[in-house]
Structures are given as structure tokens and as C-alpha cells.
Amino acid sequence: MIQSYYTTKQGKITHDIDFTHAEWLHLSDPTDNEIDGVVKHFGFPKDYLSSVLDPDEVSRYENLEMKESESSSLAMFLYPLKVDDGLSDSEYITRPLAVILTANTIITATVQTPDFISNMITNKPNYPSDSTNQERFLLDIAWHISSDYISYLKEINYKIEKLEDTLTKTTNNRQLFSLMALQKSLVYFDTAIESNHPIFKRLKNIERFNQNKKSLSFLHDVVVENQQAEAMIKQSNQMLEQISAIFSSVISNNLNNIMKVLTSITIVLTIPNIIGALWGMNVSLPFEDTPGAFWILCLISLIICLVTVWMLRKKDYF
């Protein structure tokens, strides 16, 4: 689907139903026909758009150092996405987002529209955008991508803390699945942020993106935000590695405790069997002519069992 938008004099993004302004075109899950039509109209390579359909696409850039009037420029970012199938714990993945700068139009394309673009379109607070300034628009998208990584990493860290708390109470398959989902998410994030970093580094060396102090300062903030996300990923990975080790230790310790308790119970239950076996022999035995011998033997068995339980508890076997 192709939607057209433009910025009003009041600085608001407005839907351009008739495509009369077309300052910003956004393609969401584009079809081959839509891609071919846009490529033919603007005259840039088809892979600028078709690459967003590949979930394994990597971040890259082309012709960013050239002016819009000279050639179309591409910045391919990987943005974070939260996936919840309702059956298991939420996972965080990454998907490609293409930002193409042409002579008069900004083109963004992705399979699933990220929340920050939806917020830009609807003029949500803290999501200002200006489609008339292409360089600033691209930096805004880069900023929101980095911010989303940090936001999702905070969610992941919160889940890690909850997982750590539950490990002290119980360990089951669900927690193991949660741990696997978080580790998988961090692998996606680590690869994506490392892939995005060269683009931000390249932008700092291109005049059109740092032509004034305000743009240069904002670009610096974008780079710092991305670096913060990188640091948070390293921290989260270390925490997950520690929890994985703890998880294995807890499972092993629980198994040892179960075996220890079962062994102790077996020892205690063996005592009445031994006494019963001895007094079941066809020989002369104590108490055989004593009235109530059965109850005496039961009492003796009980006393020995209680003494055994006390000794085992003292040794921390129960």
C-alpha cells in the first residue's frame, strides 16, 4: 500500500489523498506492481525498495554524499519490532526500513509500518517531522530507531529481572522458553545495531547532514543514542549469560535435592520392612509370647523411624 503525505505551513504532517504534493511516500508491505511503479517514476534501482521484503537484509547506504538533484540516495536501517503470537513470550526481532531521498520526495518502505512512523504520520507529541527537510527527516527516523532499541532493551532488562526473581522460587519449561526468547531477541538486536552503526558514522562525514550546528548536534545525539543501545545490549547479554548459568545450577541443585529426599524417604520406609522381615522368621523371637507384641513392634519401628528422620534432618537430608 502506498500513502502520500506532506507538511503544512503549521508544521503538521497531512495525508495527501490525491498525491498532489507527494513530499513523503510511505510504502507498507508493497506489492511487486507498486514497487515497479515507484521505481519507474523516480528512476532509482529496484533493489532500493525490493530489499525491504527480505527479512535478512542488512543495513547499508548508497549515494548519501550526493545531492538529491544529482542522484537518489538510500539509507537502509534495521528497526526493532515486538512480536507477540499470544502462545508464548513476546520476542523482539528486526526488519529492514528503506529511506530513499529523491529530488522532491522522501520515500520510506517497510513490510510492517513501525510505531514511530505511525506516530509521525498522526503528529503525536515528541514525534515532530518535516518532510520538506529531507536530511532532518532521515535523522529523525534514525533517532526514533535508536530510541526504540533502547525502549525495547529496557523491556528486556525488566523481563530479565523478573526471570531472575522467579528462578529463586521455581524452575520450569516456561522460564526456559522465556530465557531462549530473550537470548534470541538480543542476537537480533546486537546484529542490527552493529549493522546500523556504519550508517550513522558515515552521516557525520557528509556535509549535507552536518551543514549547520543544529543538524550536527542532532546527529551527535543520534550517534550517542545508538552507542547507548550498544552498551545496553552488552550488559543484557552478560546478565542473560549469568542467568543461564544460574538456571542450569538451580536445575541441577533441584534434582540433587529431589534425589536426596527420595533416598531419605526410602531409608525411613526400609526400617519397618526390616523389622517385619525379622519377626516373620520361623524361629524363637522376643515378644512372641507377649500380649500386644504387634503394637510393641509397631512402636519400636516408629521410634527408630523418628530417630532416623531426626538424624537425617540434622544432616540436611530432608
Side-chain angles (χ1 to χ4, degrees):
M1 181 175 66
I2 304 177
Q3 298 287 337
S4 176
Y5 304 94
Y6 68 96
T7 304
T8 64
K9 294 181 179 179
Q10 292 75 30
K12 299 293 183 180
I13 295 293
T14 302
H15 188 194
D16 183 14
I17 300 176
D18 300 325
F19 291 83
T20 54
H21 296 81
E23 292 177 353
W24 173 21
L25 293 182
H26 177 63
L27 285 72
S28 177
D29 194 15
T31 64
D32 290 337
N33 289 335
E34 289 173 338
I35 291 176
D36 290 338
V38 173
V39 167
K40 182 178 180 180
H41 181 79
F42 291 97
F44 52 74
K46 183 177 180 179
D47 70 301
Y48 278 20
L49 287 179
S50 60
S51 296
V52 300
L53 302 177
D54 181 8
D56 299 318
E57 178 68 22
V58 297
S59 300
R60 59 190 175 93
Y61 60 87
E62 294 186 25
N63 300 326
L64 284 177
E65 67 282 353
M66 303 180 70
K67 294 292 185 179
E68 300 94 326
S69 57
E70 298 174 353
S71 176
S72 299
S73 306
L74 167 70
M76 183 74 71
F77 296 105
L78 294 178
Y79 71 94
L81 184 64
K82 185 176 182 179
V83 178
D84 188 359
D85 58 11
L87 299 176
S88 60
D89 292 291
S90 300
E91 289 187 6
Y92 302 86
I93 60 176
T94 59
R95 288 293 182 263
L97 167 65
V99 183
I100 304 169
L101 308 181
T102 67
N104 300 304
T105 305
I106 303 168
I107 301 171
T108 56
T110 184
V111 172
Q112 184 172 340
T113 301
D115 291 339
F116 67 85
I117 284 188
S118 298
N119 292 335
M120 292 168 67
I121 290 172
T122 54
N123 298 292
K124 291 287 183 64
N126 301 321
Y127 290 88
S129 55
D130 182 5
S131 57
T132 62
N133 187 335
Q134 296 194 358
E135 288 76 17
R136 178 60 187 235
F137 190 91
L138 187 145
L139 292 180
D140 283 337
I141 289 180
W143 166 265
H144 291 311
I145 289 175
S146 298
S147 296
D148 277 2
Y149 275 115
I150 291 178
S151 178
Y152 285 139
L153 282 169
K154 288 180 179 178
E155 288 186 18
I156 290 175
N157 287 338
Y158 175 73
K159 290 183 178 181
I160 292 175
E161 291 176 1
K162 287 185 62 179
L163 189 60
E164 191 173 2
D165 290 338
T166 57
L167 284 179
T168 61
K169 303 174 184 177
T170 179
T171 54
N172 52 43
N173 288 340
R174 178 169 178 80
Q175 280 144 5
L176 181 60
F177 295 150
S178 299
L179 185 62
M180 292 171 57
L182 292 177
Q183 289 176 328
K184 181 179 177 182
S185 300
L186 286 179
V187 170
Y188 277 121
F189 279 17
D190 190 20
T191 304
I193 291 178
E194 186 177 350
S195 181
N196 285 341
H197 189 75
I199 300 180
F200 301 143
K201 187 176 180 181
R202 179 58 181 162
L203 291 176
K204 292 180 67 175
N205 299 322
I206 298 177
E207 183 180 355
R208 61 188 284 201
F209 292 100
N210 56 30
Q211 54 189 350
N212 56 61
K213 290 184 178 181
K214 188 175 181 180
S215 297
L216 186 60
S217 176
F218 186 65
L219 179 55
H220 176 73
D221 292 341
V222 172
V223 174
V224 169
E225 195 83 354
N226 192 69
Q227 290 174 339
Q228 181 182 348
E230 289 180 324
M232 290 179 68
I233 283 181
K234 292 180 181 178
Q235 182 185 36
S236 299
N237 270 323
Q238 291 175 353
M239 292 171 62
L240 273 182
E241 288 176 0
Q242 183 180 17
I243 289 180
S244 296
I246 294 174
F247 194 91
S248 299
S249 299
V250 168
I251 291 177
S252 178
N253 185 62
N254 287 346
L255 180 60
N256 290 337
N257 288 336
I258 291 172
M259 296 304 297
K260 186 168 60 175
V261 171
L262 291 176
T263 302
S264 300
I265 292 174
T266 302
I267 293 172
V268 173
L269 294 179
T270 301
I271 294 172
N273 291 331
I274 294 174
I275 294 175
L278 290 174
W279 260 262
M281 293 182 180
N282 192 20
V283 294
S284 297
L285 294 167
F287 309 118
E288 62 180 349
D289 297 324
T290 303
F294 173 77
W295 298 111
I296 293 174
L297 292 175
C298 287
L299 180 61
I300 293 172
S301 299
L302 179 61
I303 292 172
I304 296 175
C305 287
L306 291 175
V307 172
T308 304
V309 169
W310 176 78
M311 293 176 63
L312 291 173
R313 284 183 62 86
K314 194 174 180 180
K315 296 288 185 179
D316 195 29
Y317 277 87
F318 265 113

